[in-house]
Amino acid sequence: MSGTTTAISRKAADVPENGAGALRPGREVNRWVVLVVLCASLLLVAVDATVLHVAVPAVSEDLRPGSIELLWIVDTYPLVCASLLILFGTLGDKIGTRRVLLFGYGLFAAASAVAAYADTPAVLIAARGLLGVGGAMIMPATLSILRQVFPDRRERALAVGIWSAVAAVGAAVGPLVGGALLEHFWWGSVFLINIPLMAAGLPVGRWLLPESATGSEGPWDVLGAVMGALGLFGVILGVKQAGGGEVLTPLCWLPLLAGAVLITLFVRRQRRRPHPLIDFGTLTRAAFGTSVGCIVLTVLALVGLALIAAQYLQLVLGLSPLETGLRLLPLSLAAIAAGLLGSRLLALLGPRTMVALGFVVTAVAVLCLTGVDQHDRPGLLIGCFVLLGFGLETTLFGCYESMLSEAPAGRSGGAAAVGETAYQLGAGIGIALLGSVMNAAYGPGVRDAAQRLGLPGGAGADASHSLGEAYEVAGHLGAGPGEALRSAARSSFVTGLHVTLLVSACLLLLGALAALRLPRRMETSAGGAGCEAAEREAAEREAARGARRGSSWERDDTPEEQQQRSGHPLSRGVTQS
């Protein structure tokens, strides 16, 4: 299967010729080569989400950010990226996916240069925001193009397995890359590696990747796209502020309230428009909606735990950044193995059992991690990381494959944008939510220790913000009080870690229950018949909705005529990025 070479010009029957998935004719491109290019793009974007985690202590020492600024430095990238996926997804459908993708490459490289040489927390936060904009241009296109060039579900299952393995490995290998660079260079080097790779991606992507500009029927809903982006931004910002301990402050509830209002107005606007950005009928389908929700829960656990684990390994166990990355390497290797075995497991178990099993395995690994303490236990950590990587990747694979297969081929761009929004939303919420739980469990023990030692109120408050700040405060004290504060802070951090792991395990078990709504078996059909059936079903649903609105052409035309008139089915959903 992997050795099959298919010319795009000879596979015109497998993808729409005049729709969102239309590929440029006349150029023979091996679809597995296209997959390599897509995965390389995804890898850089995924690595950048976590590469800074092991560099947090170095950034704190150099730039001296406050606790909230430090959260912004880490979380701005997924926050901005999640907010803009729908906006750039629809823009890509109008002016061309490849064009937006290549522009994203350039912006990602430029923002990386700014981040590498940032001299203040504000500059670094702004640069991370620009990286998020570039990521929002890049990420949906990889999954959308994959859906188009792999119309057969069996081949697509293998491709999605490789793709999802790269996504999980990118997030997991980020600390390893960052640790290796920090052994020899300053923290800005974790961003400089993006520049040559993105620069090389520009000519390669221009030559190999297919274009899919369609100028879908109806105007691009600029106001709706901005409303959706600002609404998502406000909601995640509110959660971030809650994670910083500001639950009752206007900085928390004002953006949360404004975001909720904007998202409500966005949903109402899309339901009323003849050509919405998002077809909420697709989201309400059990398999699609469940897959999206499970992606959020999976990434929430992955990213949140990765940040906390990196801090535990460095600040509690005293490992170097490189040693920290090596400790996390088993997680990456297990994720790769799960991705490569994913297509076989899916055929054997079916989506429901596979995703539920992945959640359960991950929850078991998280619960086993509660056995860690202030002493190094490498055997326990390695075993848990292997289970964690295998479980997380199994879950992600099953969710993405089910989500793509549930959506008709012409709606692959919509499925990609929604799925990537879920991924980035889970990353942002994971850091904020699990970070909030961690801070709530860590702070009281440190404050009590500071009172016993007779420290000034300001010093005790600073030490209760994070373990790194506690070490800094302890460094200004004498040997006895300083060591006592460090010991109390380490003990409080381990206690907070245990509480955070228990909360994460509960969320993962909730995901296992949600996975029971997925299909029991993997339905396959030759020649894309399954996709055609899904497209006919979507068209019939659109006809019924049109009749209820009183739209004359939707009421009178057949589903096939509706598809032909609209140019491509994706014009009813989130357009391809």
Side-chain angles (χ1 to χ4, degrees):
M1 179 169 57
S2 61
T4 303
T5 302
T6 304
I8 288 177
S9 59
R10 293 198 300 269
K11 293 292 287 181
D14 290 335
V15 294
E17 294 185 1
N18 297 310
L23 307 179
R24 288 174 295 162
R27 176 178 297 172
E28 293 189 358
V29 178
N30 186 313
R31 59 183 177 275
W32 299 101
V33 175
V34 171
L35 177 63
V36 171
V37 177
L38 297 178
C39 287
S41 304
L42 176 67
L43 181 63
L44 283 178
V45 177
V47 164
D48 213 71
T50 58
V51 71
L52 197 60
H53 290 173
V54 294
V56 165
V59 172
S60 299
E61 182 179 355
D62 187 20
L63 300 184
R64 304 286 181 178
S67 59
I68 298 299
E69 287 179 319
L70 189 59
L71 277 176
W72 272 103
I73 289 172
V74 174
D75 206 26
T76 293
Y77 174 80
L79 168 63
V80 173
C81 190
S83 302
L84 297 177
L85 286 168
I86 293 175
L87 188 151
F88 285 118
T90 55
L91 179 62
D93 185 61
K94 282 294 182 183
I95 68 174
T97 299
R98 186 171 62 98
R99 183 178 301 173
V100 173
L101 178 68
L102 296 180
F103 189 83
Y105 285 171
L107 181 60
F108 207 86
S112 297
V114 175
Y117 294 101
D119 55 357
T120 65
V123 173
L124 183 55
I125 291 170
R128 291 279 287 172
L130 289 177
L131 283 169
V133 176
M137 296 177 177
I138 295 170
M139 292 190 73
T142 61
L143 189 58
S144 177
I145 295 175
L146 182 150
R147 175 64 176 86
Q148 295 162 17
V149 299
F150 289 95
D152 179 77
R153 185 168 186 179
R154 291 182 180 88
E155 287 193 343
R156 186 169 68 245
L158 178 59
V160 171
I162 297 172
W163 182 94
S164 59
V166 169
V169 168
V173 82
L176 176 60
V177 174
L181 290 171
L182 289 175
E183 286 289 311
H184 305 286
F185 308 102
W186 91 113
W187 60 264
S189 61
V190 302
F191 297 108
L192 286 182
I193 59 172
N194 296 330
I195 298 176
L197 297 176
M198 284 295 178
L202 283 168
V204 173
R206 181 175 177 80
W207 173 252
L208 288 180
L209 296 181
E211 184 59 281
S212 59
T214 63
S216 58
E217 184 173 311
W220 183 49
D221 186 9
V222 180
L223 178 59
V226 173
M227 287 173 59
L230 293 178
L232 285 170
F233 188 91
V235 167
I236 305 176
L237 175 58
V239 174
K240 264 181 51 60
Q241 298 300 325
E246 301 183 10
V247 180
L248 301 179
T249 65
L251 291 176
C252 173
W253 56 263
L254 277 180
L256 196 62
L257 179 62
V261 170
L262 284 172
I263 289 178
T264 301
L265 294 176
F266 171 76
V267 172
R268 293 182 61 185
R269 179 180 177 86
Q270 298 311 302
R271 288 188 178 276
R272 293 175 178 177
R273 290 183 66 84
H275 303 286
L277 296 174
I278 294 181
D279 179 8
F280 286 94
T282 301
L283 290 177
T284 57
R285 298 175 69 175
F288 190 93
T290 300
S291 297
V292 171
C294 289
I295 290 172
V296 173
L297 288 173
T298 306
V299 180
L300 187 154
L302 171 66
V303 176
L305 288 177
L307 177 60
I308 295 172
Q311 293 178 340
Y312 168 77
L313 294 173
Q314 288 187 83
L315 299 178
V316 175
L317 299 185
L319 302 181
S320 69
L322 180 57
E323 290 173 332
T324 297
L326 290 174
R327 284 292 181 91
L328 294 172
L329 185 59
L331 191 153
S332 303
L333 297 177
I336 293 173
L340 296 178
L341 294 174
S343 59
R344 294 185 179 182
L345 288 176
L346 184 63
L348 179 64
L349 301 176
R352 179 186 301 178
T353 302
M354 182 177 183
V355 174
L357 179 64
F359 272 121
V360 171
V361 170
T362 307
V364 169
V366 168
L367 290 174
C368 290
L369 281 172
T370 58
V372 302
D373 52 26
Q374 298 185 49
H375 304 286
D376 191 6
R377 297 186 177 181
L380 176 63
L381 288 173
I382 291 173
C384 290
F385 286 158
V386 168
L387 285 178
L388 194 64
F390 192 89
L392 287 169
E393 172 55 23
T394 299
T395 305
L396 278 176
F397 171 86
C399 291
Y400 274 112
E401 203 284 334
S402 297
M403 182 188 69
L404 281 183
S405 298
E406 184 70 13
R411 296 179 184 267
S412 59
V418 172
E420 292 304 331
T421 299
Y423 190 101
Q424 293 299 324
L425 190 63
I429 294 178
I431 293 174
L433 177 61
L434 296 185
S436 177
V437 172
M438 182 70 191
N439 291 338
Y442 163 80
V446 178
R447 286 192 290 269
D448 290 343
Q451 289 179 355
R452 290 195 303 269
L453 294 171
L455 298 182
D462 290 341
S464 67
H465 289 157
S466 68
L467 186 56
E469 291 188 60
Y471 283 178
E472 184 176 347
V473 172
H476 297 293
L477 304 177
E483 182 56 36
L485 180 60
R486 277 190 289 268
S487 178
R490 283 195 299 269
S491 177
S492 296
F493 187 91
V494 172
T495 300
L497 176 61
H498 290 167
V499 174
T500 304
L501 290 170
L502 291 175
V503 171
S504 180
C506 291
L507 293 173
L508 291 166
L509 293 176
L510 179 64
L513 293 176
L516 298 179
R517 301 184 68 221
L518 291 171
R520 185 183 299 274
R521 294 182 178 85
M522 174 185 176
E523 301 293 339
T524 59
S525 53
C531 295
E532 294 173 2
E535 289 174 351
R536 287 196 297 271
E537 178 186 344
E540 290 168 0
R541 186 173 65 249
E542 296 299 330
R545 188 167 67 176
R548 290 194 299 270
R549 283 200 307 260
S551 172
S552 59
W553 70 266
E554 285 192 64
R555 182 175 61 248
D556 297 333
D557 289 352
T558 65
E560 291 76 14
E561 290 170 335
Q562 291 173 31
Q563 282 186 313
Q564 188 175 21
R565 182 186 295 270
S566 64
H568 64 90
L570 196 57
S571 63
R572 303 293 302 175
V574 182
T575 53
Q576 180 180 343
S577 84

